[in-house]
Amino acid sequence: LVATVCSTTLPDEGFAPPPIYQEAADLIAHDYADRNDIARFCEGLYALGVTAAPWGVDYERHLRAILQVNQDRYVRCSAQFALASVVHAAPDDRQAEAQELFEAFCKTFDGMHNYSYQQIEQMLLGQARDHVKELQYRAVGMPAPLMSGRDVDGRPMKLSDFRGKTVLLSFWGTWCFPCMKLVP
């Protein structure tokens, strides 16, 4: 029931969870962390692979409590992926820790265990691998990937021409109405 309370009171994007979500999450961490029916709480913190909400880091201790005592494979799978996701989305620079957590997820949850959530585990494994690649090559503090294109005046340019300088990249598409409103 407390996992259902959490999943039904998930806030809209950009909003913090309501007090009832927080109360239910605390109950899960303190009294029900070992239950095999709390995966929905963990799933809500990563929304089946989508980047975790910034407020998710407030529930890191809840996920760690679950991982410490829970023996159910799918709950552990969901909690481990959620933990890596919330650390990755944390406002402070915890990218190395997030990479370690995603790598640990890949080692533990290889998608080969035959059970009713095997397909979800395989999907999360693919996303964890993608996150590891992203963190290895495109994380904060890493050099930007090589790219070339045309500047706003139509002249050819390479990002590497600006190495050592502060650069603001803005990606947009002509098909994107909000993007086009920002172009001027």
Side-chain angles (χ1 to χ4, degrees):
L1 181 59
V2 289
T4 301
V5 168
C6 287
S7 65
T8 59
T9 60
L10 275 172
D12 290 332
E13 190 174 324
F15 294 95
I20 193 164
Y21 180 96
Q22 296 169 11
E23 291 174 37
D26 287 343
L27 280 172
I28 289 171
H30 295 213
D31 300 327
Y32 301 106
D34 62 340
R35 298 287 303 266
N36 65 356
D37 54 356
I38 59 170
R40 292 178 71 191
F41 166 72
C42 303
E43 292 168 351
L45 291 171
Y46 66 82
L48 286 178
V50 177
T51 303
W55 54 262
V57 74
D58 296 338
Y59 299 91
E60 180 179 343
R61 68 178 175 83
H62 298 72
L63 294 167
R64 290 187 187 278
I66 292 167
L67 286 166
Q68 190 172 13
V69 298
N70 201 295
Q71 298 302 309
D72 182 81
R73 182 172 182 91
Y74 183 61
V75 171
R76 293 188 62 74
C77 175
S78 297
Q80 180 69 33
F81 191 87
L83 178 61
S85 297
V86 299
V87 168
H88 187 210
D92 46 344
D93 186 18
R94 297 176 66 191
Q95 303 307 298
E97 182 184 358
Q99 182 177 339
E100 288 176 12
L101 289 167
F102 280 120
E103 287 171 346
F105 177 90
C106 292
K107 287 179 185 168
T108 305
F109 301 101
D110 60 6
M112 303 304 282
H113 189 80
N114 188 15
Y115 70 122
S116 57
Y117 294 102
Q118 182 179 14
Q119 287 183 320
I120 294 174
E121 182 177 313
Q122 290 169 344
M123 178 194 69
L124 293 176
L125 175 63
Q127 292 176 4
R129 287 178 177 155
D130 290 344
H131 283 300
V132 168
K133 285 180 192 172
E134 174 191 332
L135 289 163
Q136 287 175 332
Y137 301 110
R138 291 186 290 276
V140 173
M142 298 296 290
L146 296 176
M147 62 177 73
S148 60
R150 299 210 173 269
D151 66 15
V152 292
D153 297 320
R155 294 183 302 241
M157 60 157 268
K158 293 187 293 188
L159 185 58
S160 60
D161 294 340
F162 300 95
R163 190 167 312 278
K165 298 178 182 174
T166 302
V167 176
L168 171 66
L169 292 176
S170 177
F171 294 94
W172 50 272
T174 56
W175 47 263
C176 173
F177 179 73
C179 298
M180 294 310 295
K181 285 186 75 168
L182 294 173
V183 169

